[in-house]
Amino acid sequence: MPAFDVDPVLLARIQFAFTISFHIVFPAISIGLASYLAVLEGLWLLTGRDVYLRLFKYWLKIFALAFGMGVVSGIVMSYQFGTNWSVFSDKTGPVLGPLMGYEVLTAFFLEAGFLGVMLFGMQRVGRGLHFFATLMVAFGTLLSAFWILSANSWMHTPAGFAINEFGQFVPADWWAVIFNPSFPYRLVHMVLAAYLSTAFIVGAVGAWHLMRDRFSQPARTMFSMAMWMAALVAPLQIVAGDLHGINTLEHQPAKIAAMEGLFETTAGAPLILFGIPDMEAEETRYAIEIPKLGSLILTHDLDGEVKGLKDWVPADRPNAEIVFWTFRVMVGLGVLMVAIGVASLVLRWRGSLYATSWLHWWALAMGPSGILAILAGWITTEVGRQPFTVYGMLRTAESASPIGAPGVAASLAAFVVVYVIVFGAGAIYMLRMMATPPDEGDEAPKHGRPIRSAGVTPAPAMEHES
């Protein structure tokens, strides 16, 4: 019987990449939708227009589904730290464990505490209390992003720690741990990405319903709000990405070299638009480049020096063949987001935003662009950190559990089957919900006071007499 000679660490990495690729989609949608729902409810309370309430109820159902799938997919990942990455868990647990605990104690409890009121309380509590619950859920999703990004950023730019006699990372300065050098840039970049992802999903749904009924007010409102987000936030994201890149050049220069496909340290480095990085030959073949633009973008100096991958021994280099292309996918999608935002501004100014079919088709095609950009950016970030789990301190090969490849391969196969069935079904159901037009029959509560339940024991609700 032939030996199973596949590297178990590689299988463990594939398994974690597979599960986190599913997981990251749902929290990103939840972060964006929670804030969108808070804006919709706030506008409804402020203006009294029923269209905002109909959209709130419409997207509330989709938010609940995304939130639930995000929780389930996140729980599975935590088990992998114990099964496939037990050495990593032991070494980094004193630092990362409390950060994960803070996320549960603050963000998750806040979300869970008010989620029920948000989902089911519109007819049972006053408008002010319900709006407060919606705001708390939105704040909870941002708080969750805060802790998760803090933990992830510490793995990229570790700070505020000491190493004890057991070789474990232990916190020496919690402020330095939490607010490590790359954390602010990574948090802003990720939250903006979540908002843009949601905006393009909302925009695609609005465009879909606009193409069926050009005069549908809910469709017009969805599309208009999404295009405003594209016009205003997409350029802001490019600025945030630029600042994040400068920070990465300072703290993770090998990752930048891989992203740029740059092998030789160069003053006045070119921007390589396209090419094929070859790690063995140590060059980027067929490069199409713009002289000095790479240095200008990364150092804000035409003659600034950018290190090449040859400055590191081969064992310490990230895989440029992957990082180079995923980075370009992310940037290319970002450019398209800015372009559609600018196009929408021109058409809005001409008064034809709701009557231009090519823009609606473009917005529909761009629906998954935010999610794809997040996945591409996440791969760039995490593959660019290799071959370390804690950058420069703990190698990936030294972080894995001492288990054989057959065991990891079997659990990977099980994850693929279960995830495709469970989350595939969930995604299809979510798309069907989006394809259904907002219910024109939804009406606002007839008064601002809650409906009282009758009797001490549960009984049918009774309308309060106005």
Side-chain angles (χ1 to χ4, degrees):
M1 186 175 179
F4 196 93
D5 58 357
V6 180
D7 181 7
V9 176
L10 177 62
L11 288 174
R13 288 179 59 191
I14 292 173
Q15 185 179 121
F16 196 77
F18 176 79
T19 51
I20 201 170
S21 295
F22 271 85
H23 173 67
I24 195 172
V25 170
F26 301 114
I29 296 174
S30 298
I31 291 170
L33 274 184
S35 293
Y36 183 52
L37 289 169
V39 170
L40 287 172
E41 187 169 6
L43 288 173
W44 171 58
L45 293 175
L46 188 66
T47 66
R49 293 182 60 193
D50 285 349
V51 64
Y52 294 121
L53 179 63
R54 287 205 294 272
L55 289 177
F56 176 85
K57 292 182 177 180
Y58 180 75
W59 285 103
L60 183 63
K61 301 169 189 171
I62 298 168
F63 167 80
L65 184 59
F67 186 86
M69 289 198 287
V71 171
V72 173
S73 57
I75 291 173
V76 172
M77 285 173 51
S78 64
Y79 285 105
Q80 291 182 60
F81 287 114
T83 55
N84 296 348
W85 302 102
S86 59
V87 179
F88 170 81
S89 300
D90 176 61
K91 299 286 187 186
T92 64
V95 171
L96 297 182
L99 295 181
M100 296 294 97
Y102 298 150
E103 194 257 343
V104 173
L105 287 174
T106 58
F108 190 71
F109 280 7
L110 188 66
E111 293 166 339
F114 287 97
L115 187 63
V117 178
M118 180 185 177
L119 292 176
F120 308 111
M122 183 159 276
Q123 301 288 346
R124 293 173 173 79
V125 300
R127 292 179 176 181
L129 178 55
H130 189 273
F131 182 49
F132 180 74
T134 305
L135 288 175
M136 288 300 99
V137 171
F139 178 63
T141 60
L142 293 173
L143 204 54
S144 179
F146 175 93
W147 290 116
I148 296 296
L149 267 298
S150 175
N152 180 262
S153 298
W154 183 85
M155 292 161 63
H156 287 266
T157 52
F161 67 92
I163 296 180
N164 66 14
E165 66 272 26
F166 305 108
Q168 295 173 306
F169 298 88
V170 293
D173 180 348
W174 272 114
W175 284 106
V177 168
I178 296 170
F179 297 98
N180 58 78
S182 67
F183 167 64
Y185 305 96
R186 206 178 303 276
L187 177 66
V188 171
H189 199 44
M190 184 62 200
V191 170
L192 290 180
Y195 283 162
L196 279 173
S197 299
T198 304
F200 277 93
I201 291 172
V202 171
V205 174
W208 173 259
H209 294 300
L210 264 181
M211 288 189 286
R212 276 154 178 72
D213 180 4
R214 188 163 293 176
F215 299 99
S216 166
Q217 189 56 51
R220 285 186 170 214
T221 302
M222 277 191 285
F223 189 69
S224 176
M225 294 176 78
M227 289 301 102
W228 275 122
M229 283 291 289
L232 299 177
V233 178
L236 193 62
Q237 178 70 313
I238 289 180
V239 175
D242 177 60
L243 296 174
H244 189 20
I246 294 172
N247 178 266
T248 306
L249 179 66
E250 180 181 355
H251 296 282
Q252 294 180 294
K255 181 192 291 186
I256 287 291
M259 290 161 61
E260 297 299 318
L262 193 66
F263 285 86
E264 301 285 352
T265 296
T266 308
L271 175 65
I272 301 176
L273 297 175
F274 299 102
I276 303 176
D278 187 331
M279 296 294 287
E280 292 188 3
E282 298 184 327
E283 64 174 324
T284 297
R285 302 181 186 276
Y286 314 112
I288 300 174
E289 56 190 40
I290 302 175
K292 293 184 179 292
L293 189 55
S295 284
L296 179 64
I297 294 173
L298 289 167
T299 66
H300 293 183
D301 180 353
L302 280 172
D303 296 315
E305 182 180 277
V306 181
K307 288 187 175 181
L309 281 171
K310 288 184 179 179
D311 276 23
W312 291 268
V313 299
D316 288 349
R317 299 173 187 171
N319 188 317
E321 292 157 345
I322 296 175
V323 172
F324 179 86
W325 281 108
T326 53
F327 177 66
R328 273 146 189 78
V329 169
M330 179 185 69
V331 172
L333 289 170
V335 171
L336 287 175
M337 291 176 186
V338 173
I340 195 172
V342 172
S344 72
L345 285 178
V346 173
L347 293 172
R348 192 188 298 271
W349 176 64
R350 292 180 176 176
S352 54
L353 183 68
Y354 308 116
T356 306
S357 296
W358 61 263
L359 181 69
H360 304 156
W361 280 109
W362 187 6
L364 183 63
M366 289 285 288
S369 63
I371 296 300
L372 294 176
I374 285 179
L375 290 174
W378 193 260
I379 293 171
T380 302
T381 296
E382 300 308 313
V383 175
R385 175 161 49 94
Q386 299 300 321
F388 300 98
T389 48
V390 180
Y391 192 69
M393 302 297 297
L394 181 63
R395 289 183 176 275
T396 304
E398 299 167 346
S399 304
S401 302
I403 56 176
V408 186
S411 58
L412 172 59
F415 274 126
V416 170
V417 172
V418 172
Y419 269 54
V420 169
I421 293 174
V422 174
F423 296 110
I428 291 172
Y429 183 62
M430 187 181 290
L431 290 173
R432 291 183 63 179
M433 292 170 74
M434 293 178 185
T436 305
D439 185 2
E440 298 286 345
D442 275 341
E443 296 179 353
K446 294 179 181 178
H447 47 72
R449 289 167 292 177
I451 298 172
R452 292 184 291 107
S453 294
V456 177
T457 55
M462 299 174 60
E463 286 285 342
H464 183 87
E465 292 297 329
S466 300

